[in-house]
Amino acid sequence: MELNTFWIIAVATIGFFVLLQLILQGIWFGKLAFFKPTASQPVRYEGISVIVVARNEHDNLTHLLPILLEQDYPAPYEIIVVDDHSTDDTFWLLKTAAQAFDNLKTVTINHTPAGIHPKKYAITLAVKAATYERLVLTDADCRPCSAKWLAAIAANFDNKQIVLGYSPYMERKGFLNRLIRFETLYTAMQYISSALWGHPYMGVGRNLSYTKSLFLDNKGFHKFQRVVGGDDDLLVNALATAQNTSVAIGADTLVYSLPKTTWRGWWQQKRRHLSVGKYYHWKDRLWLGLNTMLGITTHILIYGGLITSLLWQQWLPAGIIAGIMLLRWGFLGTITYLCARQLGDRFSIIWWPLLDFSYIVYYFTAGLSVLISKKVEWK
């Protein structure tokens, strides 16, 4: 059995795009996959202000506050919780807790000025109320991994102004949860690897640190105060550089977050996240866009070519394409596993092929949805 001209061109095209993807992502993610921390000077611990913005988060705060208040941190720290228009018992919970703990500070918002997004306004008030220069942000539905979390984050400041952390979602049963955790891991691989290469472009507010002076000197969210979302990634995109940014890597630096339990809830959340991408620097949009298009192209070529060759009973090209597909699965699946291990995340490589395909489908449809309908909101 021989390959005719059509199948030679088809197989060569598939091989070229897959090889290109393996080279680019191997170099990009390899920085994280094979990361080795350099020897550093003894950590100089300073005071830290932990900021949490909450709206109707009474139940979540009952779990989060004890973890934050019991941090084993060798320097003074405070917790600032912003009660943003809550209508549940958040106010009374915070009032009672503040009476028992001197390092718990509360800010209550009943009115948000026109022209600024509520969460950005809440964070801005918390930053201004902060006692300490170093700020660490998380969300009410998050759970720091241990009592060593603050110390692990602080160890990465080291004369930096921004520290990017990783916040995986908690493991639950079902395919939706697997896809959520895979998408979160892949996003972290992208922005943490880029930061390690000296080009930080985003962070996540569930585990993000920066200095008070950096925020205030650059007028905080002034440039995108009307944008829904972007209080984390757009701020990092605007202010982060290779010189002022570091990453927090390892199991002690993790902040777990409660995942969405419905497809609708997750879809709305991801649309909100994707909607701010158009405000990134054009170089970041170009690189991320090309990476996404390369992923979509390789999927279309591989699966399209494999299905076509099987339908036409072209067994030799089908076998070659299947081999290329397995090579891609093995290489990128291994890179993903190594990155997850560096980050302290648990990732099962068994599910990688299905999750990889599902991710491309999700990203394409969610991105198209954002282009068609631009209405997004925070709570």
Side-chain angles (χ1 to χ4, degrees), residues 16-275:
F16 169 78
F17 278 98
V18 169
L19 180 62
L20 180 61
Q21 184 183 37
L22 298 187
I23 292 174
L24 291 180
Q25 294 201 350
I27 295 173
W28 187 12
F29 298 145
K31 194 72 169 179
L32 172 59
F34 303 101
F35 172 75
K36 291 183 179 180
T38 56
S40 60
Q41 299 295 325
V43 178
R44 181 167 57 98
Y45 293 103
E46 298 180 4
I48 280 182
S49 297
V50 181
I51 295 175
V52 181
V53 175
R55 177 180 293 182
N56 295 329
E57 297 282 9
H58 173 273
D59 293 343
N60 280 323
L61 288 173
T62 60
H63 294 283
L64 174 63
L65 287 179
I67 300 175
L68 295 181
L69 291 166
E70 295 171 4
Q71 286 293 300
D72 182 13
Y73 188 65
Y77 75 96
E78 66 180 359
I79 302 165
I80 303 174
V81 181
V82 184
D83 179 6
D84 182 21
H85 295 84
S86 294
T87 56
D88 61 0
D89 291 331
T90 295
F91 173 82
W92 298 109
L93 171 66
L94 295 176
K95 183 176 181 180
T96 302
Q99 292 173 348
F101 297 93
D102 294 336
N103 63 333
L104 176 60
K105 184 185 299 184
T106 64
V107 177
T108 302
I109 299 177
N110 295 314
H111 172 71
T112 301
I116 181 171
H117 187 261
K119 189 174 183 182
K120 294 184 179 66
Y121 180 66
I123 292 176
T124 301
L125 292 186
V127 171
K128 292 181 178 179
T131 302
Y132 303 110
E133 169 70 1
R134 294 178 175 180
L135 310 175
V136 177
L137 287 81
T138 190
D139 288 341
D141 62 349
C142 293
R143 308 287 184 268
C145 60
S146 73
K148 300 288 187 180
W149 171 60
L150 267 188
I153 295 298
N156 292 279
F157 262 101
D158 192 26
N159 298 320
K160 302 292 185 179
Q161 294 177 292
I162 298 175
V163 179
L164 307 178
Y166 174 44
S167 180
Y169 283 98
M170 297 179 184
E171 185 173 357
R172 297 289 189 267
K173 293 182 179 180
F175 181 73
L176 173 61
N177 182 259
R178 289 191 179 94
L179 181 57
I180 289 174
R181 290 188 290 113
F182 176 78
E183 187 273 337
T184 304
L185 170 61
Y186 186 72
T187 299
M189 288 169 56
Q190 291 179 309
Y191 74 80
I192 291 179
S193 293
S194 293
L196 290 174
W197 278 111
H199 189 79
Y201 71 88
M202 69 159 282
V204 293
R206 303 189 303 275
N207 196 3
L208 176 64
S209 306
Y210 46 80
T211 61
K212 181 175 181 177
S213 58
L214 179 71
F215 183 91
L216 296 179
D217 291 348
N218 290 277
K219 298 182 180 180
F221 306 114
H222 177 71
K223 293 181 179 180
F224 43 91
Q225 62 184 6
R226 295 178 181 271
V227 179
V228 178
D231 49 274
D232 43 16
D233 50 349
L234 289 185
L235 186 72
V236 173
N237 193 259
L239 303 180
T241 66
Q243 291 71 39
N244 72 0
T245 304
S246 66
V247 297
I249 297 176
D252 285 337
T253 67
L254 299 182
V255 172
Y256 285 93
S257 186
L258 295 175
K260 297 295 183 182
T261 57
T262 65
W263 288 94
R264 179 181 177 84
W266 182 62
W267 180 262
Q268 293 175 337
Q269 180 188 58
K270 299 317 299 180
R271 287 186 68 253
R272 184 174 70 247
H273 292 169
L274 290 174
S275 68

Side-chain angles (χ1 to χ4, degrees), residues 230-375:
D231 49 274
D232 43 16
D233 50 349
L234 289 185
L235 186 72
V236 173
N237 193 259
L239 303 180
T241 66
Q243 291 71 39
N244 72 0
T245 304
S246 66
V247 297
I249 297 176
D252 285 337
T253 67
L254 299 182
V255 172
Y256 285 93
S257 186
L258 295 175
K260 297 295 183 182
T261 57
T262 65
W263 288 94
R264 179 181 177 84
W266 182 62
W267 180 262
Q268 293 175 337
Q269 180 188 58
K270 299 317 299 180
R271 287 186 68 253
R272 184 174 70 247
H273 292 169
L274 290 174
S275 68
V276 303
K278 62 184 178 182
Y279 298 102
Y280 284 8
H281 289 307
W282 70 268
K283 292 182 180 179
D284 301 320
R285 297 199 309 271
L286 178 62
W287 168 249
L288 294 172
L290 289 175
N291 179 64
T292 300
M293 290 305 300
L294 182 58
I296 293 174
T297 301
T298 56
H299 277 79
I300 292 175
L301 290 175
I302 287 176
Y303 293 108
L306 185 59
I307 292 172
T308 302
S309 61
L310 290 174
L311 290 176
W312 290 1
Q313 298 183 354
Q314 299 293 314
W315 309 121
L316 181 57
I320 297 175
I321 295 171
I324 294 174
M325 179 178 67
L326 292 175
L327 173 65
R328 179 182 178 277
W329 284 0
F331 183 86
L332 294 183
T334 300
I335 286 288
T336 303
Y337 172 79
L338 293 175
C339 288
R341 188 173 63 176
Q342 289 279 26
L343 293 170
D345 195 2
R346 298 184 299 272
F347 172 74
S348 176
I349 198 172
I350 296 175
W351 288 93
W352 190 90
L354 178 59
L355 293 172
D356 172 62
F357 177 80
S358 301
Y359 172 82
I360 288 295
V361 175
Y362 136 75
Y363 202 95
F364 179 78
T365 54
L368 187 62
S369 173
V370 169
L371 292 175
I372 296 174
S373 176
K374 299 181 181 181
K375 184 179 180 181

